[in-house]
Amino acid sequence: MAAKLILSMDGAVLKEYPLTKERMTIGRKPQNDIAIDNLAVSGEHAAIVTILHDSFLEDLDSTNGLEVNGNPTKKHFLQNNDVIGIGKYKLKYISDQAPQSTPADFEKTVVLRSPAKQPAPAATSKPADVAGFTQTQSDLNKPAADAPAEKTGKAEAPQSAASPQAAVVQVLTGPNAGKELELIKNLTTLGKPGVQVAVLTRRPHGFFITHVEGATHPAVNGVTLSDQPHQLNDHDVIDLAGVKMEFYFKG
């Protein structure tokens, strides 16, 4: 059974929302997946990203903020019976599935927006920031490696059914051309906050890209993506926030 949110106010249940999409938004505007018509709720207040049995709550720079179990939060790894507070409204998270990740994993990988203030090290130590291109793993600075040859049948192939091959995203254009990011986490968020952001998800049967933020969607091999998760194939070229990147499996 899919996890769900139960919307209530003053103890009265108003509606239930199954978390059937990879990304669902909460806000006052009617186009939100969970629309709450109240002035205390921002137009786009929060988002919930659900990957397999894990759900992550993220504040979308709302005016009045979020609470989970009475504590203010900007992002939160949801667990069964957590109660999200938005103004006078409560959203109770119900899931009968055991989570596959941990709160620490979420903290390290899901960052949909940059913090308001960041330390200011030498510009050369953060080439991604120089380009205005944000990623959520720290090893983007690794030197570029030669693109691997196409995969052939190897002894490790049976294992890939339970766990996808190791994969890499390599930046092709802009100041960071040649830089690599190894996809070692279940979730990796790429893009320019406020412009265009996508999340790459690692699943047992492969890697998927999903649009998260921005008026326009990223493209893969020149084809603009829909709101649905798109499975990536070896050597796909992703166009995200004006930057081209190549996805490939490590040889």
Side-chain angles (χ1 to χ4, degrees):
M1 185 182 72
K4 63 184 178 181
L5 291 174
I6 301 175
L7 177 66
S8 65
M9 186 176 69
D10 297 330
V13 173
L14 302 177
K15 194 170 182 180
E16 292 190 3
Y17 296 91
L19 298 178
T20 54
K21 293 170 60 177
E22 184 135 324
R23 180 179 187 266
M24 295 182 68
T25 57
I26 305 167
R28 190 178 67 253
K29 294 179 180 178
Q31 63 264 35
N32 287 284
D33 298 291
I34 301 174
I36 302 175
D37 187 12
N38 185 281
L39 292 177
V41 181
S42 296
E44 286 194 355
H45 200 104
I48 294 177
V49 176
T50 300
I51 310 296
L52 299 177
H53 303 318
D54 300 331
S55 293
F56 312 97
L57 173 70
E58 176 83 9
D59 190 311
L60 298 181
D61 292 339
S62 63
T63 302
N64 294 317
L66 288 174
E67 289 185 348
V68 175
N69 303 329
N71 300 311
T73 186
K74 283 290 187 182
K75 56 183 180 177
H76 182 78
F77 177 90
L78 289 167
Q79 300 181 68
N80 191 35
N81 292 321
D82 276 350
V83 177
I84 304 165
I86 302 179
K88 296 180 179 179
Y89 293 85
K90 306 294 183 187
L91 285 159
K92 188 172 185 178
Y93 175 75
I94 301 293
S95 175
D96 59 358
Q97 300 285 347
Q100 297 188 344
S101 300
T102 66
D105 211 22
F106 172 54
E107 290 294 320
K108 291 175 183 175
T109 58
V110 178
V111 181
L112 302 188
R113 279 170 172 73
S114 299
K117 292 184 178 180
Q118 294 179 322
T124 54
S125 69
K126 281 194 173 184
D129 292 345
V130 173
F133 181 77
T134 303
Q135 46 81 37
T136 63
Q137 295 183 20
S138 60
D139 55 353
L140 188 62
N141 299 336
K142 286 172 58 179
D146 293 333
E150 291 290 327
K151 293 291 290 182
T152 55
K154 289 189 177 181
E156 67 189 49
Q159 185 180 359
S160 66
S163 178
Q165 301 166 247
V168 170
V169 167
Q170 184 178 49
V171 180
L172 302 178
T173 60
N176 294 315
K179 303 299 182 185
E180 284 188 345
L181 174 64
E182 188 170 354
L183 303 176
I184 58 175
K185 296 291 185 179
N186 289 338
L187 296 145
T188 304
T189 307
L190 297 170
K192 293 180 183 178
V195 178
Q196 194 177 62
V197 177
V199 62
L200 301 184
T201 58
R202 177 188 176 101
R203 300 182 182 180
H205 51 292
F207 289 82
F208 291 75
I209 182 171
T210 307
H211 172 72
V212 171
E213 177 190 349
T216 57
H217 290 46
V220 174
N221 300 328
V223 179
T224 302
L225 301 181
S226 68
D227 287 329
Q228 298 303 310
H230 175 85
Q231 185 165 11
L232 291 169
N233 297 310
D234 201 18
H235 299 296
D236 274 353
V237 175
I238 303 165
D239 194 331
L240 175 66
V243 177
K244 289 187 183 296
M245 294 163 280
E246 181 182 3
F247 168 89
Y248 61 84
F249 293 107
K250 295 184 70 174

